[in-house]
Amino acid sequence: MPDWFVGFTTGGGSIGQVESRGLLKMGRGGIKFFPSRFYPLTDSAGGAITVRRGCPANQRKGTLTMFDVIEVNTDLNVVEHNDPSNIELFTRRGSVRRVPIEAIISGNNPQGFEVFEPVPMPEYSALQNTASGAILKTRPIGKTYNLVPHDKLFRRQAELLNESDLPLSNVKVIDRVYDDGLRAHRTIHFNDLQTTIGDSSDRVNCRMDVFNSVDMSWSFQIFSGAYRDLCRNTLVFGGEKAYHQKAKHTKNLSPDALISKAGGSLEMWTGQREKMNLWAGAKLTDKAFGDILAQSICYKNTRAAQAEQGNKVNESLMNHLLYLFDKEKRELGQTMWAAYNALTHWSTHTQEAWTDPKTGKERSAGRSNHNVPNTQRVRNDQVRQVLESPAWTWAESRAAA
């Protein structure tokens, strides 16, 4: 692996200043080599960025904080407003795109002179701020990294909230970006949505927090509930979480699904809090959830099954729902609440791809040509049947006992 890389914004711009091993030469295209220094350069053609292993431009994971109560620093932008559709800060500081990079390698030509040649690196990219044109100082991101630009993420969040029943006429929105837009955090306080915590006189506004990065430093995280403060290690202070999920930026990351479930959890928490608390405290093993599914949504009511000559269980559907249950219980625990969120995820995200953890094969949550609204309606009815099934209500009654 070379000691350093040079990134191009267009694939054909001028080559920036890079570091070499103690050399000071002029190469093709005006390359300058300087010993023992780091020289990122941006010019009118788009510029370039050098990333060397161990240099200050590399990942600084674990050295930065992203809490509600945060130490003031000069590289922090914060904007407070009352409109979730206002994403101006993220458009200006968090709108990014991939740009190709090349590695500079050295060697000797037939005449014995040392020459330097750029070699394309199609598996990696640099990041460019599309508003300013600047190349962001971060390590290259891989081809398989699921890049989620902040502006697109929070624009979509605003659209999903508008489609929900959450009250949006009286909200406080706090937008934050860190380190030239590499990381972002949005908090939405729902001032017309309150609940009591502990003592019935202690009323706390409900809120939703979303954390995101574009440089592999942070996983995507979302919180919803009623709490006064939180930190990125999943702790909340002065309240309770209704929903929390953390996901890496892989191809299976679905911010839409996580935002929808966080919003739905807030709606349920304020409208049916007793039932939600019951489910959140009710332990449910994989086998118990599998039994519930086998007796309801995954039961195959075919003639062969009735004659006890075939498999009575839709294994493909059960595998998918147990896969979603595994994802939910990482943060929600092995509970009926995690199972409920797995069911609602399946019912609303009908075009989502998922990877079978046992076979490694990629599967689809539905047919590619299906009618999405109609499929969602049918699946919502099926989820309702699960929640009304004897197996589910029996598990519920055991938790309430």
Side-chain angles (χ1 to χ4, degrees), residues 62-368:
T63 63
L64 303 173
T65 57
M66 188 167 76
F67 305 154
D68 247 17
V69 183
I70 187 166
E71 201 172 314
V72 176
N73 66 72
T74 57
D75 197 27
L76 170 65
N77 268 11
V78 180
V79 174
E80 185 175 319
H81 55 92
N82 56 15
D83 181 9
S85 65
N86 179 351
I87 57 167
E88 190 277 332
L89 176 63
F90 302 119
T91 300
R92 178 168 48 87
R93 297 289 306 278
S95 177
V96 299
R97 68 172 182 134
R98 295 174 181 267
V99 290
I101 59 175
E102 296 175 338
I104 304 298
I105 62 174
S106 63
N108 294 325
N109 64 12
Q111 289 74 36
F113 294 103
E114 189 174 21
V115 294
F116 300 88
E117 190 70 24
V119 177
M121 300 183 63
E123 299 297 315
Y124 296 91
S125 303
L127 294 176
Q128 181 189 35
N129 182 306
T130 60
S132 67
I135 301 297
L136 303 184
K137 297 179 182 179
T138 183
R139 62 181 177 178
I141 61 173
K143 185 178 181 179
T144 60
Y145 181 70
N146 188 351
L147 178 65
V148 182
H150 307 314
D151 59 327
K152 294 181 180 179
L153 168 65
F154 293 115
R155 181 183 294 112
R156 183 60 181 147
Q157 182 196 28
E159 293 170 354
L160 291 170
L161 289 177
N162 281 327
E163 296 171 5
S164 74
D165 293 327
L166 291 170
L168 300 176
S169 60
N170 182 20
V171 298
K172 180 174 75 172
V173 184
I174 305 174
D175 294 333
R176 308 170 179 87
V177 294
Y178 304 81
D179 297 284
D180 292 325
L182 293 177
R183 305 162 187 83
H185 173 198
R186 164 172 273 197
T187 303
I188 301 178
H189 297 268
F190 300 90
N191 295 324
D192 289 338
L193 203 60
Q194 294 185 331
T195 188
T196 57
I197 301 297
D199 184 348
S200 59
S201 64
D202 183 15
R203 299 190 64 80
V204 180
N205 287 349
C206 291
R207 60 189 279 180
M208 183 183 297
D209 288 85
V210 178
F211 299 85
N212 187 51
S213 77
V214 295
D215 67 339
M216 301 182 287
S217 58
W218 286 341
S219 297
F220 178 90
Q221 281 199 86
I222 187 165
F223 296 75
S224 67
Y227 46 87
R228 292 187 171 88
D229 292 302
L230 84 162
C231 60
R232 205 169 46 87
N233 66 1
T234 78
L235 295 177
V236 299
F237 308 100
E240 299 175 7
K241 289 181 291 187
Y243 186 81
H244 170 240
Q245 195 57 265
K246 179 179 181 180
K248 294 182 179 180
H249 289 77
T250 63
K251 63 180 179 180
N252 290 328
L253 170 63
S254 176
D256 281 27
L258 299 181
I259 291 169
S260 296
K261 285 185 285 186
S265 296
L266 275 185
E267 292 177 13
M268 185 171 182
W269 201 36
T270 54
Q272 302 181 61
R273 187 174 174 188
E274 286 187 10
K275 184 177 287 291
M276 176 181 161
N277 286 341
L278 175 65
W279 291 350
K283 297 299 181 183
L284 192 70
T285 65
D286 288 5
K287 184 181 184 307
F289 187 39
D291 289 342
I292 291 172
L293 296 175
Q295 297 174 47
S296 57
I297 197 171
C298 293
Y299 176 70
K300 289 169 64 174
N301 191 25
T302 63
R303 188 68 184 87
Q306 291 173 2
E308 298 185 357
Q309 297 301 317
N311 192 342
K312 297 182 179 181
V313 173
N314 183 335
E315 290 190 20
S316 177
L317 177 56
M318 182 175 287
N319 285 336
H320 187 195
L321 290 170
L322 289 174
Y323 163 81
L324 294 173
F325 183 48
D326 286 340
K327 292 183 67 176
E328 295 295 340
K329 67 188 184 186
R330 293 173 194 166
E331 303 298 337
L332 304 180
Q334 196 142 357
T335 61
M336 294 184 73
W337 180 234
Y340 170 78
N341 276 280
L343 290 166
T344 57
H345 183 118
W346 170 79
S347 68
T348 55
H349 298 86
T350 62
Q351 294 179 308
E352 189 175 76
W354 65 285
T355 303
D356 190 316
K358 289 189 176 180
T359 65
K361 293 182 179 180
E362 185 168 304
R363 303 184 182 278
S364 175
R367 297 176 181 174
S368 59

Side-chain angles (χ1 to χ4, degrees), residues 20-32:
S20 183
R21 299 182 183 86
L23 300 175
L24 183 59
K25 292 180 180 287
M26 288 296 294
R28 63 183 290 276
I31 305 179
K32 296 183 179 180

Side-chain angles (χ1 to χ4, degrees), residues 347-348 350-351 370-380:
S347 68
T348 55
T350 62
Q351 294 179 308
H370 72 282
N371 182 303
V372 174
N374 186 58
T375 301
Q376 289 176 334
R377 179 186 60 77
V378 171
R379 289 188 179 186
N380 284 333

